[in-house]
Amino acid sequence: QVQLQESGPGLVKPSETLSLTCTVSGGSIRSTIYYWGWIRQPPGKGLEWIGSVYSSGSTYYNPSLKSRVTISVDTSKNHFSLKLSSVTAADTAVYYCARVNWGSQFYYYYMDVWGKGTTVTVSS
Amino acid sequence: QSVLTQPPSVSGTPGQRVTISCSGSSSNIGRNTVNWYQQLPGTAPKLLIYSSNQRPSGVPDRFSGSKSGTSSSLAISGLQSEDEADYYCATWDDSLDGQVFGGGTKLTVL
């Protein structure tokens, strides 16, 4: 049973970089079947896709966040990470990591395993 | 403004059938399959329907999904109080080269 667990600081200062890690247990992040993704949810609002990474390091990012986002994978530690630079209060959200099932040209792309989420607040 | 359009809220009484719509365009729903997620209060989203009409193991057959053209629908039959949650549709958008979500629909069981 694959499980995902987010970790990282719960409080980040404006203009600094938000850094989170998602540790995968019960399965290998090297699997060629999956991408690994990040999704966030501001308080009282809907879900927003941030991006995803493959075991090779190949990435896809939300165009609205692309200039500030880096998602990377560390296969030796079986985890993947999110960095979001120059944060503002608008980046305050619950951040989720998830396992992504995908098909050719992303004809299908869905998250079947989710972490419980971690709350990140941007405030001085 | 979400790329996929959902009604903000729907409601129904126990035992009733309700549907939630999700409208997109030719670059997203028109080309790719649709997924539905259920988010109970205070919890992480859960995959409810994938590939437009497939249910993951453990999801009751009261939940069903469909897709036609650039729209998709989630139907819930035999409504139960525990179905009260937020529901999100999602798919890949070929123009944006990324995944897009609907704005979410809050289901209230009266």
PDB file of all heavy atoms in Angstrom, chain A residues 41 45-47 49 60 63 96 106-112 114-115, chain B residues 31-33 35 37 39 43-45 47 50 88 92 96-99 101:
ATOM      1  N   GLN A  41      -4.299  24.022  -2.147  1.00  0.00           N
ATOM      2  CA  GLN A  41      -5.669  24.479  -1.915  1.00  0.00           C
ATOM      3  C   GLN A  41      -5.632  25.635  -0.920  1.00  0.00           C
ATOM      4  O   GLN A  41      -5.472  25.423   0.287  1.00  0.00           O
ATOM      5  CB  GLN A  41      -6.535  23.349  -1.378  1.00  0.00           C
ATOM      6  CG  GLN A  41      -7.999  23.707  -1.230  1.00  0.00           C
ATOM      7  CD  GLN A  41      -8.846  22.494  -0.907  1.00  0.00           C
ATOM      8  OE1 GLN A  41      -8.422  21.572  -0.216  1.00  0.00           O
ATOM      9  NE2 GLN A  41     -10.083  22.479  -1.422  1.00  0.00           N
ATOM     10  N   LYS A  45     -10.872  27.706  -0.680  1.00  0.00           N
ATOM     11  CA  LYS A  45     -10.919  27.737  -2.147  1.00  0.00           C
ATOM     12  C   LYS A  45     -10.730  26.338  -2.739  1.00  0.00           C
ATOM     13  O   LYS A  45     -10.635  25.356  -2.029  1.00  0.00           O
ATOM     14  CB  LYS A  45      -9.858  28.700  -2.680  1.00  0.00           C
ATOM     15  CG  LYS A  45     -10.093  30.154  -2.263  1.00  0.00           C
ATOM     16  CD  LYS A  45      -9.153  31.093  -2.994  1.00  0.00           C
ATOM     17  CE  LYS A  45      -9.451  32.540  -2.602  1.00  0.00           C
ATOM     18  NZ  LYS A  45      -8.540  33.491  -3.316  1.00  0.00           N
ATOM     19  N   GLY A  46     -10.681  26.292  -4.064  1.00  0.00           N
ATOM     20  CA  GLY A  46     -10.585  25.024  -4.761  1.00  0.00           C
ATOM     21  C   GLY A  46      -9.157  24.538  -4.940  1.00  0.00           C
ATOM     22  O   GLY A  46      -8.203  25.149  -4.468  1.00  0.00           O
ATOM     23  N   LEU A  47      -9.046  23.422  -5.653  1.00  0.00           N
ATOM     24  CA  LEU A  47      -7.751  22.797  -5.889  1.00  0.00           C
ATOM     25  C   LEU A  47      -7.025  23.457  -7.055  1.00  0.00           C
ATOM     26  O   LEU A  47      -7.647  23.827  -8.050  1.00  0.00           O
ATOM     27  CB  LEU A  47      -7.952  21.306  -6.202  1.00  0.00           C
ATOM     28  CG  LEU A  47      -8.655  20.481  -5.129  1.00  0.00           C
ATOM     29  CD1 LEU A  47      -8.984  19.087  -5.651  1.00  0.00           C
ATOM     30  CD2 LEU A  47      -7.794  20.385  -3.875  1.00  0.00           C
ATOM     31  N   TRP A  49      -3.547  22.736  -9.439  1.00  0.00           N
ATOM     32  CA  TRP A  49      -2.428  21.878  -9.815  1.00  0.00           C
ATOM     33  C   TRP A  49      -1.166  22.722  -9.913  1.00  0.00           C
ATOM     34  O   TRP A  49      -1.156  23.780 -10.549  1.00  0.00           O
ATOM     35  CB  TRP A  49      -2.719  21.216 -11.148  1.00  0.00           C
ATOM     36  CG  TRP A  49      -1.668  20.327 -11.699  1.00  0.00           C
ATOM     37  CD1 TRP A  49      -1.324  19.071 -11.275  1.00  0.00           C
ATOM     38  CD2 TRP A  49      -0.807  20.603 -12.821  1.00  0.00           C
ATOM     39  NE1 TRP A  49      -0.323  18.554 -12.058  1.00  0.00           N
ATOM     40  CE2 TRP A  49       0.019  19.466 -13.021  1.00  0.00           C
ATOM     41  CE3 TRP A  49      -0.655  21.689 -13.677  1.00  0.00           C
ATOM     42  CZ2 TRP A  49       0.967  19.388 -14.026  1.00  0.00           C
ATOM     43  CZ3 TRP A  49       0.290  21.616 -14.696  1.00  0.00           C
ATOM     44  CH2 TRP A  49       1.092  20.478 -14.859  1.00  0.00           C
ATOM     45  N   TYR A  60       6.435  18.921 -15.626  1.00  0.00           N
ATOM     46  CA  TYR A  60       5.381  19.755 -16.202  1.00  0.00           C
ATOM     47  C   TYR A  60       4.919  20.692 -15.097  1.00  0.00           C
ATOM     48  O   TYR A  60       4.743  20.273 -13.948  1.00  0.00           O
ATOM     49  CB  TYR A  60       4.192  18.910 -16.690  1.00  0.00           C
ATOM     50  CG  TYR A  60       4.477  18.163 -17.965  1.00  0.00           C
ATOM     51  CD1 TYR A  60       5.092  16.914 -17.932  1.00  0.00           C
ATOM     52  CD2 TYR A  60       4.148  18.707 -19.200  1.00  0.00           C
ATOM     53  CE1 TYR A  60       5.356  16.224 -19.103  1.00  0.00           C
ATOM     54  CE2 TYR A  60       4.409  18.028 -20.373  1.00  0.00           C
ATOM     55  CZ  TYR A  60       5.015  16.792 -20.323  1.00  0.00           C
ATOM     56  OH  TYR A  60       5.282  16.106 -21.483  1.00  0.00           O
ATOM     57  N   PRO A  63       1.326  26.788 -15.885  1.00  0.00           N
ATOM     58  CA  PRO A  63       1.890  27.983 -16.532  1.00  0.00           C
ATOM     59  C   PRO A  63       1.851  29.222 -15.642  1.00  0.00           C
ATOM     60  O   PRO A  63       2.755  30.069 -15.728  1.00  0.00           O
ATOM     61  CB  PRO A  63       0.998  28.168 -17.764  1.00  0.00           C
ATOM     62  CG  PRO A  63       0.457  26.808 -18.053  1.00  0.00           C
ATOM     63  CD  PRO A  63       0.289  26.148 -16.720  1.00  0.00           C
ATOM     64  N   TYR A  96      -0.653  19.465  -1.130  1.00  0.00           N
ATOM     65  CA  TYR A  96      -0.769  18.014  -1.210  1.00  0.00           C
ATOM     66  C   TYR A  96       0.229  17.468  -2.229  1.00  0.00           C
ATOM     67  O   TYR A  96       0.456  18.088  -3.281  1.00  0.00           O
ATOM     68  CB  TYR A  96      -2.154  17.602  -1.687  1.00  0.00           C
ATOM     69  CG  TYR A  96      -3.312  17.979  -0.793  1.00  0.00           C
ATOM     70  CD1 TYR A  96      -4.097  19.098  -1.077  1.00  0.00           C
ATOM     71  CD2 TYR A  96      -3.644  17.197   0.317  1.00  0.00           C
ATOM     72  CE1 TYR A  96      -5.173  19.439  -0.272  1.00  0.00           C
ATOM     73  CE2 TYR A  96      -4.720  17.531   1.124  1.00  0.00           C
ATOM     74  CZ  TYR A  96      -5.478  18.650   0.815  1.00  0.00           C
ATOM     75  OH  TYR A  96      -6.556  18.965   1.622  1.00  0.00           O
ATOM     76  N   PHE A 106      -0.849  12.254 -22.174  1.00  0.00           N
ATOM     77  CA  PHE A 106      -1.724  12.576 -21.043  1.00  0.00           C
ATOM     78  C   PHE A 106      -3.192  12.488 -21.427  1.00  0.00           C
ATOM     79  O   PHE A 106      -4.003  13.237 -20.902  1.00  0.00           O
ATOM     80  CB  PHE A 106      -1.361  13.939 -20.463  1.00  0.00           C
ATOM     81  CG  PHE A 106       0.051  13.982 -19.937  1.00  0.00           C
ATOM     82  CD1 PHE A 106       0.952  14.925 -20.403  1.00  0.00           C
ATOM     83  CD2 PHE A 106       0.491  13.056 -19.002  1.00  0.00           C
ATOM     84  CE1 PHE A 106       2.261  14.961 -19.938  1.00  0.00           C
ATOM     85  CE2 PHE A 106       1.789  13.079 -18.529  1.00  0.00           C
ATOM     86  CZ  PHE A 106       2.679  14.027 -18.997  1.00  0.00           C
ATOM     87  N   TYR A 107      -3.505  11.563 -22.281  1.00  0.00           N
ATOM     88  CA  TYR A 107      -4.907  11.296 -22.602  1.00  0.00           C
ATOM     89  C   TYR A 107      -5.665  10.983 -21.322  1.00  0.00           C
ATOM     90  O   TYR A 107      -6.815  11.352 -21.146  1.00  0.00           O
ATOM     91  CB  TYR A 107      -5.012  10.145 -23.600  1.00  0.00           C
ATOM     92  CG  TYR A 107      -6.426   9.722 -23.887  1.00  0.00           C
ATOM     93  CD1 TYR A 107      -7.289  10.548 -24.577  1.00  0.00           C
ATOM     94  CD2 TYR A 107      -6.891   8.474 -23.458  1.00  0.00           C
ATOM     95  CE1 TYR A 107      -8.595  10.155 -24.839  1.00  0.00           C
ATOM     96  CE2 TYR A 107      -8.195   8.078 -23.717  1.00  0.00           C
ATOM     97  CZ  TYR A 107      -9.032   8.921 -24.412  1.00  0.00           C
ATOM     98  OH  TYR A 107     -10.318   8.529 -24.665  1.00  0.00           O
ATOM     99  N   TYR A 108      -4.994  10.254 -20.438  1.00  0.00           N
ATOM    100  CA  TYR A 108      -5.526  10.152 -19.087  1.00  0.00           C
ATOM    101  C   TYR A 108      -4.427  10.571 -18.122  1.00  0.00           C
ATOM    102  O   TYR A 108      -3.246  10.333 -18.361  1.00  0.00           O
ATOM    103  CB  TYR A 108      -6.080   8.751 -18.768  1.00  0.00           C
ATOM    104  CG  TYR A 108      -5.067   7.624 -18.718  1.00  0.00           C
ATOM    105  CD1 TYR A 108      -4.352   7.349 -17.561  1.00  0.00           C
ATOM    106  CD2 TYR A 108      -4.868   6.807 -19.836  1.00  0.00           C
ATOM    107  CE1 TYR A 108      -3.449   6.300 -17.523  1.00  0.00           C
ATOM    108  CE2 TYR A 108      -3.973   5.755 -19.794  1.00  0.00           C
ATOM    109  CZ  TYR A 108      -3.269   5.503 -18.638  1.00  0.00           C
ATOM    110  OH  TYR A 108      -2.367   4.462 -18.600  1.00  0.00           O
ATOM    111  N   TYR A 109      -4.835  11.243 -17.063  1.00  0.00           N
ATOM    112  CA  TYR A 109      -3.894  11.801 -16.081  1.00  0.00           C
ATOM    113  C   TYR A 109      -4.694  11.978 -14.808  1.00  0.00           C
ATOM    114  O   TYR A 109      -5.567  12.844 -14.737  1.00  0.00           O
ATOM    115  CB  TYR A 109      -3.359  13.145 -16.593  1.00  0.00           C
ATOM    116  CG  TYR A 109      -2.369  13.851 -15.684  1.00  0.00           C
ATOM    117  CD1 TYR A 109      -1.005  13.854 -15.981  1.00  0.00           C
ATOM    118  CD2 TYR A 109      -2.789  14.551 -14.554  1.00  0.00           C
ATOM    119  CE1 TYR A 109      -0.087  14.521 -15.174  1.00  0.00           C
ATOM    120  CE2 TYR A 109      -1.882  15.201 -13.741  1.00  0.00           C
ATOM    121  CZ  TYR A 109      -0.538  15.193 -14.061  1.00  0.00           C
ATOM    122  OH  TYR A 109       0.373  15.850 -13.258  1.00  0.00           O
ATOM    123  N   TYR A 110      -4.458  11.129 -13.837  1.00  0.00           N
ATOM    124  CA  TYR A 110      -5.236  11.237 -12.606  1.00  0.00           C
ATOM    125  C   TYR A 110      -4.406  10.845 -11.394  1.00  0.00           C
ATOM    126  O   TYR A 110      -3.476  10.059 -11.478  1.00  0.00           O
ATOM    127  CB  TYR A 110      -6.507  10.383 -12.680  1.00  0.00           C
ATOM    128  CG  TYR A 110      -6.300   8.898 -12.889  1.00  0.00           C
ATOM    129  CD1 TYR A 110      -6.161   8.035 -11.806  1.00  0.00           C
ATOM    130  CD2 TYR A 110      -6.270   8.358 -14.174  1.00  0.00           C
ATOM    131  CE1 TYR A 110      -5.978   6.680 -12.003  1.00  0.00           C
ATOM    132  CE2 TYR A 110      -6.092   6.995 -14.381  1.00  0.00           C
ATOM    133  CZ  TYR A 110      -5.951   6.152 -13.290  1.00  0.00           C
ATOM    134  OH  TYR A 110      -5.767   4.805 -13.478  1.00  0.00           O
ATOM    135  N   MET A 111      -4.776  11.426 -10.236  1.00  0.00           N
ATOM    136  CA  MET A 111      -4.064  11.188  -8.979  1.00  0.00           C
ATOM    137  C   MET A 111      -4.826  10.166  -8.157  1.00  0.00           C
ATOM    138  O   MET A 111      -5.955  10.434  -7.743  1.00  0.00           O
ATOM    139  CB  MET A 111      -3.926  12.498  -8.192  1.00  0.00           C
ATOM    140  CG  MET A 111      -2.901  13.459  -8.727  1.00  0.00           C
ATOM    141  SD  MET A 111      -3.494  14.485 -10.080  1.00  0.00           S
ATOM    142  CE  MET A 111      -4.601  15.550  -9.194  1.00  0.00           C
ATOM    143  N   ASP A 112      -4.227   9.022  -7.925  1.00  0.00           N
ATOM    144  CA  ASP A 112      -4.943   7.966  -7.217  1.00  0.00           C
ATOM    145  C   ASP A 112      -4.518   7.796  -5.761  1.00  0.00           C
ATOM    146  O   ASP A 112      -5.231   7.177  -4.984  1.00  0.00           O
ATOM    147  CB  ASP A 112      -4.831   6.627  -7.956  1.00  0.00           C
ATOM    148  CG  ASP A 112      -3.411   6.080  -7.989  1.00  0.00           C
ATOM    149  OD1 ASP A 112      -2.450   6.877  -7.826  1.00  0.00           O
ATOM    150  OD2 ASP A 112      -3.255   4.855  -8.187  1.00  0.00           O
ATOM    151  N   TRP A 114      -3.015  10.126  -2.490  1.00  0.00           N
ATOM    152  CA  TRP A 114      -2.736  11.478  -2.023  1.00  0.00           C
ATOM    153  C   TRP A 114      -2.113  11.437  -0.632  1.00  0.00           C
ATOM    154  O   TRP A 114      -2.433  10.567   0.176  1.00  0.00           O
ATOM    155  CB  TRP A 114      -4.029  12.292  -1.922  1.00  0.00           C
ATOM    156  CG  TRP A 114      -4.697  12.593  -3.221  1.00  0.00           C
ATOM    157  CD1 TRP A 114      -5.281  11.692  -4.089  1.00  0.00           C
ATOM    158  CD2 TRP A 114      -4.888  13.881  -3.809  1.00  0.00           C
ATOM    159  NE1 TRP A 114      -5.814  12.358  -5.168  1.00  0.00           N
ATOM    160  CE2 TRP A 114      -5.590  13.697  -5.013  1.00  0.00           C
ATOM    161  CE3 TRP A 114      -4.545  15.178  -3.422  1.00  0.00           C
ATOM    162  CZ2 TRP A 114      -5.931  14.762  -5.858  1.00  0.00           C
ATOM    163  CZ3 TRP A 114      -4.892  16.242  -4.244  1.00  0.00           C
ATOM    164  CH2 TRP A 114      -5.577  16.030  -5.452  1.00  0.00           C
ATOM    165  N   GLY A 115      -1.247  12.407  -0.355  1.00  0.00           N
ATOM    166  CA  GLY A 115      -0.828  12.625   1.003  1.00  0.00           C
ATOM    167  C   GLY A 115      -1.926  13.334   1.781  1.00  0.00           C
ATOM    168  O   GLY A 115      -2.923  13.763   1.193  1.00  0.00           O
TER     169      GLY A 115
ATOM    170  N   ARG B  31     -10.625  16.402 -25.670  1.00  0.00           N
ATOM    171  CA  ARG B  31      -9.530  15.535 -26.138  1.00  0.00           C
ATOM    172  C   ARG B  31      -9.115  14.465 -25.142  1.00  0.00           C
ATOM    173  O   ARG B  31      -8.551  13.436 -25.535  1.00  0.00           O
ATOM    174  CB  ARG B  31      -8.296  16.383 -26.441  1.00  0.00           C
ATOM    175  CG  ARG B  31      -8.431  17.302 -27.614  1.00  0.00           C
ATOM    176  CD  ARG B  31      -7.087  17.914 -27.962  1.00  0.00           C
ATOM    177  NE  ARG B  31      -7.200  18.852 -29.073  1.00  0.00           N
ATOM    178  CZ  ARG B  31      -6.176  19.467 -29.627  1.00  0.00           C
ATOM    179  NH1 ARG B  31      -4.948  19.237 -29.177  1.00  0.00           N
ATOM    180  NH2 ARG B  31      -6.342  20.299 -30.615  1.00  0.00           N
ATOM    181  N   ASN B  32      -9.361  14.711 -23.864  1.00  0.00           N
ATOM    182  CA  ASN B  32      -8.825  13.821 -22.835  1.00  0.00           C
ATOM    183  C   ASN B  32      -9.906  13.343 -21.873  1.00  0.00           C
ATOM    184  O   ASN B  32     -11.010  13.890 -21.848  1.00  0.00           O
ATOM    185  CB  ASN B  32      -7.730  14.562 -22.066  1.00  0.00           C
ATOM    186  CG  ASN B  32      -6.619  15.038 -22.987  1.00  0.00           C
ATOM    187  OD1 ASN B  32      -6.054  14.247 -23.744  1.00  0.00           O
ATOM    188  ND2 ASN B  32      -6.323  16.333 -22.943  1.00  0.00           N
ATOM    189  N   THR B  33      -9.552  12.327 -21.110  1.00  0.00           N
ATOM    190  CA  THR B  33     -10.545  11.776 -20.180  1.00  0.00           C
ATOM    191  C   THR B  33     -10.645  12.653 -18.930  1.00  0.00           C
ATOM    192  O   THR B  33      -9.760  13.451 -18.624  1.00  0.00           O
ATOM    193  CB  THR B  33     -10.177  10.343 -19.777  1.00  0.00           C
ATOM    194  OG1 THR B  33      -8.916  10.336 -19.102  1.00  0.00           O
ATOM    195  CG2 THR B  33     -10.085   9.441 -21.011  1.00  0.00           C
ATOM    196  N   ASN B  35     -11.603  13.153 -14.746  1.00  0.00           N
ATOM    197  CA  ASN B  35     -11.567  12.520 -13.431  1.00  0.00           C
ATOM    198  C   ASN B  35     -12.398  13.330 -12.450  1.00  0.00           C
ATOM    199  O   ASN B  35     -12.559  14.541 -12.611  1.00  0.00           O
ATOM    200  CB  ASN B  35     -10.125  12.442 -12.929  1.00  0.00           C
ATOM    201  CG  ASN B  35      -9.193  11.935 -14.001  1.00  0.00           C
ATOM    202  OD1 ASN B  35      -9.357  10.835 -14.525  1.00  0.00           O
ATOM    203  ND2 ASN B  35      -8.216  12.752 -14.374  1.00  0.00           N
ATOM    204  N   TYR B  37     -13.003  13.967  -8.205  1.00  0.00           N
ATOM    205  CA  TYR B  37     -12.469  13.793  -6.863  1.00  0.00           C
ATOM    206  C   TYR B  37     -13.519  14.232  -5.848  1.00  0.00           C
ATOM    207  O   TYR B  37     -14.227  15.211  -6.050  1.00  0.00           O
ATOM    208  CB  TYR B  37     -11.189  14.615  -6.682  1.00  0.00           C
ATOM    209  CG  TYR B  37     -10.094  14.216  -7.634  1.00  0.00           C
ATOM    210  CD1 TYR B  37      -9.954  14.838  -8.870  1.00  0.00           C
ATOM    211  CD2 TYR B  37      -9.198  13.194  -7.316  1.00  0.00           C
ATOM    212  CE1 TYR B  37      -8.961  14.456  -9.766  1.00  0.00           C
ATOM    213  CE2 TYR B  37      -8.202  12.805  -8.199  1.00  0.00           C
ATOM    214  CZ  TYR B  37      -8.097  13.436  -9.425  1.00  0.00           C
ATOM    215  OH  TYR B  37      -7.114  13.049 -10.302  1.00  0.00           O
ATOM    216  N   GLN B  39     -13.932  15.455  -1.902  1.00  0.00           N
ATOM    217  CA  GLN B  39     -13.188  15.958  -0.751  1.00  0.00           C
ATOM    218  C   GLN B  39     -14.142  16.152   0.418  1.00  0.00           C
ATOM    219  O   GLN B  39     -14.939  17.094   0.439  1.00  0.00           O
ATOM    220  CB  GLN B  39     -12.462  17.263  -1.075  1.00  0.00           C
ATOM    221  CG  GLN B  39     -11.541  17.719   0.046  1.00  0.00           C
ATOM    222  CD  GLN B  39     -10.727  18.947  -0.315  1.00  0.00           C
ATOM    223  OE1 GLN B  39     -11.174  19.823  -1.040  1.00  0.00           O
ATOM    224  NE2 GLN B  39      -9.510  19.033   0.223  1.00  0.00           N
ATOM    225  N   THR B  43     -10.367  16.883   4.865  1.00  0.00           N
ATOM    226  CA  THR B  43      -9.544  15.750   4.424  1.00  0.00           C
ATOM    227  C   THR B  43      -8.973  16.003   3.034  1.00  0.00           C
ATOM    228  O   THR B  43      -9.382  16.925   2.329  1.00  0.00           O
ATOM    229  CB  THR B  43     -10.358  14.450   4.390  1.00  0.00           C
ATOM    230  OG1 THR B  43     -11.333  14.524   3.336  1.00  0.00           O
ATOM    231  CG2 THR B  43     -11.062  14.193   5.712  1.00  0.00           C
ATOM    232  N   ALA B  44      -8.036  15.146   2.649  1.00  0.00           N
ATOM    233  CA  ALA B  44      -7.459  15.233   1.314  1.00  0.00           C
ATOM    234  C   ALA B  44      -8.465  14.737   0.278  1.00  0.00           C
ATOM    235  O   ALA B  44      -9.345  13.920   0.587  1.00  0.00           O
ATOM    236  CB  ALA B  44      -6.189  14.377   1.238  1.00  0.00           C
ATOM    237  N   PRO B  45      -8.355  15.216  -0.944  1.00  0.00           N
ATOM    238  CA  PRO B  45      -9.230  14.710  -2.008  1.00  0.00           C
ATOM    239  C   PRO B  45      -9.019  13.210  -2.210  1.00  0.00           C
ATOM    240  O   PRO B  45      -7.945  12.672  -1.943  1.00  0.00           O
ATOM    241  CB  PRO B  45      -8.765  15.494  -3.245  1.00  0.00           C
ATOM    242  CG  PRO B  45      -8.156  16.728  -2.697  1.00  0.00           C
ATOM    243  CD  PRO B  45      -7.493  16.303  -1.418  1.00  0.00           C
ATOM    244  N   LEU B  47      -9.818  10.073  -5.128  1.00  0.00           N
ATOM    245  CA  LEU B  47     -10.222   9.770  -6.511  1.00  0.00           C
ATOM    246  C   LEU B  47     -11.538   8.998  -6.501  1.00  0.00           C
ATOM    247  O   LEU B  47     -11.643   7.946  -5.878  1.00  0.00           O
ATOM    248  CB  LEU B  47      -9.135   8.947  -7.197  1.00  0.00           C
ATOM    249  CG  LEU B  47      -9.403   8.548  -8.652  1.00  0.00           C
ATOM    250  CD1 LEU B  47      -9.446   9.779  -9.559  1.00  0.00           C
ATOM    251  CD2 LEU B  47      -8.337   7.567  -9.140  1.00  0.00           C
ATOM    252  N   TYR B  50     -12.209   7.872 -12.615  1.00  0.00           N
ATOM    253  CA  TYR B  50     -11.089   8.180 -13.488  1.00  0.00           C
ATOM    254  C   TYR B  50     -11.417   7.721 -14.909  1.00  0.00           C
ATOM    255  O   TYR B  50     -12.332   6.904 -15.113  1.00  0.00           O
ATOM    256  CB  TYR B  50      -9.793   7.549 -12.986  1.00  0.00           C
ATOM    257  CG  TYR B  50      -9.765   6.032 -13.046  1.00  0.00           C
ATOM    258  CD1 TYR B  50      -9.188   5.365 -14.115  1.00  0.00           C
ATOM    259  CD2 TYR B  50     -10.315   5.271 -12.009  1.00  0.00           C
ATOM    260  CE1 TYR B  50      -9.161   3.982 -14.171  1.00  0.00           C
ATOM    261  CE2 TYR B  50     -10.294   3.887 -12.048  1.00  0.00           C
ATOM    262  CZ  TYR B  50      -9.715   3.252 -13.133  1.00  0.00           C
ATOM    263  OH  TYR B  50      -9.695   1.874 -13.176  1.00  0.00           O
ATOM    264  N   TYR B  88     -14.779  17.747  -7.339  1.00  0.00           N
ATOM    265  CA  TYR B  88     -13.985  18.456  -8.347  1.00  0.00           C
ATOM    266  C   TYR B  88     -13.806  17.580  -9.592  1.00  0.00           C
ATOM    267  O   TYR B  88     -13.495  16.402  -9.481  1.00  0.00           O
ATOM    268  CB  TYR B  88     -12.601  18.783  -7.813  1.00  0.00           C
ATOM    269  CG  TYR B  88     -12.590  19.762  -6.663  1.00  0.00           C
ATOM    270  CD1 TYR B  88     -12.673  19.316  -5.347  1.00  0.00           C
ATOM    271  CD2 TYR B  88     -12.491  21.137  -6.892  1.00  0.00           C
ATOM    272  CE1 TYR B  88     -12.667  20.209  -4.287  1.00  0.00           C
ATOM    273  CE2 TYR B  88     -12.479  22.035  -5.841  1.00  0.00           C
ATOM    274  CZ  TYR B  88     -12.570  21.569  -4.543  1.00  0.00           C
ATOM    275  OH  TYR B  88     -12.551  22.466  -3.499  1.00  0.00           O
ATOM    276  N   TRP B  92      -6.550  16.863 -18.341  1.00  0.00           N
ATOM    277  CA  TRP B  92      -5.356  17.481 -18.910  1.00  0.00           C
ATOM    278  C   TRP B  92      -5.794  18.438 -20.007  1.00  0.00           C
ATOM    279  O   TRP B  92      -6.703  18.135 -20.783  1.00  0.00           O
ATOM    280  CB  TRP B  92      -4.426  16.413 -19.488  1.00  0.00           C
ATOM    281  CG  TRP B  92      -3.103  16.968 -19.914  1.00  0.00           C
ATOM    282  CD1 TRP B  92      -2.740  17.380 -21.171  1.00  0.00           C
ATOM    283  CD2 TRP B  92      -1.957  17.180 -19.084  1.00  0.00           C
ATOM    284  NE1 TRP B  92      -1.448  17.833 -21.168  1.00  0.00           N
ATOM    285  CE2 TRP B  92      -0.935  17.721 -19.909  1.00  0.00           C
ATOM    286  CE3 TRP B  92      -1.684  16.972 -17.732  1.00  0.00           C
ATOM    287  CZ2 TRP B  92       0.331  18.053 -19.411  1.00  0.00           C
ATOM    288  CZ3 TRP B  92      -0.428  17.289 -17.241  1.00  0.00           C
ATOM    289  CH2 TRP B  92       0.568  17.817 -18.077  1.00  0.00           C
ATOM    290  N   LEU B  96      -2.730  24.335 -22.516  1.00  0.00           N
ATOM    291  CA  LEU B  96      -1.978  24.807 -21.349  1.00  0.00           C
ATOM    292  C   LEU B  96      -0.841  23.862 -20.998  1.00  0.00           C
ATOM    293  O   LEU B  96       0.067  24.236 -20.250  1.00  0.00           O
ATOM    294  CB  LEU B  96      -2.913  24.949 -20.155  1.00  0.00           C
ATOM    295  CG  LEU B  96      -4.032  25.992 -20.286  1.00  0.00           C
ATOM    296  CD1 LEU B  96      -4.971  25.921 -19.100  1.00  0.00           C
ATOM    297  CD2 LEU B  96      -3.441  27.393 -20.418  1.00  0.00           C
ATOM    298  N   ASP B  97      -0.903  22.640 -21.539  1.00  0.00           N
ATOM    299  CA  ASP B  97       0.091  21.607 -21.221  1.00  0.00           C
ATOM    300  C   ASP B  97       0.168  21.386 -19.713  1.00  0.00           C
ATOM    301  O   ASP B  97       1.260  21.338 -19.109  1.00  0.00           O
ATOM    302  CB  ASP B  97       1.474  22.005 -21.762  1.00  0.00           C
ATOM    303  CG  ASP B  97       2.277  20.782 -22.198  1.00  0.00           C
ATOM    304  OD1 ASP B  97       1.682  19.700 -22.383  1.00  0.00           O
ATOM    305  OD2 ASP B  97       3.518  20.898 -22.333  1.00  0.00           O
ATOM    306  N   GLY B  98      -1.000  21.233 -19.119  1.00  0.00           N
ATOM    307  CA  GLY B  98      -1.056  21.004 -17.684  1.00  0.00           C
ATOM    308  C   GLY B  98      -2.421  20.496 -17.283  1.00  0.00           C
ATOM    309  O   GLY B  98      -3.370  20.508 -18.075  1.00  0.00           O
ATOM    310  N   GLN B  99      -2.507  20.055 -16.038  1.00  0.00           N
ATOM    311  CA  GLN B  99      -3.790  19.607 -15.543  1.00  0.00           C
ATOM    312  C   GLN B  99      -4.613  20.806 -15.106  1.00  0.00           C
ATOM    313  O   GLN B  99      -4.079  21.767 -14.560  1.00  0.00           O
ATOM    314  CB  GLN B  99      -3.638  18.662 -14.351  1.00  0.00           C
ATOM    315  CG  GLN B  99      -4.983  18.152 -13.868  1.00  0.00           C
ATOM    316  CD  GLN B  99      -4.926  17.254 -12.648  1.00  0.00           C
ATOM    317  OE1 GLN B  99      -5.473  16.159 -12.658  1.00  0.00           O
ATOM    318  NE2 GLN B  99      -4.263  17.715 -11.610  1.00  0.00           N
ATOM    319  N   PHE B 101      -8.387  21.916 -13.064  1.00  0.00           N
ATOM    320  CA  PHE B 101      -9.483  21.519 -12.189  1.00  0.00           C
ATOM    321  C   PHE B 101     -10.693  22.406 -12.438  1.00  0.00           C
ATOM    322  O   PHE B 101     -10.560  23.563 -12.847  1.00  0.00           O
ATOM    323  CB  PHE B 101      -9.092  21.691 -10.716  1.00  0.00           C
ATOM    324  CG  PHE B 101      -8.191  20.630 -10.160  1.00  0.00           C
ATOM    325  CD1 PHE B 101      -6.830  20.868 -10.014  1.00  0.00           C
ATOM    326  CD2 PHE B 101      -8.693  19.410  -9.753  1.00  0.00           C
ATOM    327  CE1 PHE B 101      -5.984  19.904  -9.477  1.00  0.00           C
ATOM    328  CE2 PHE B 101      -7.868  18.437  -9.209  1.00  0.00           C
ATOM    329  CZ  PHE B 101      -6.507  18.693  -9.076  1.00  0.00           C
TER     330      PHE B 101
END
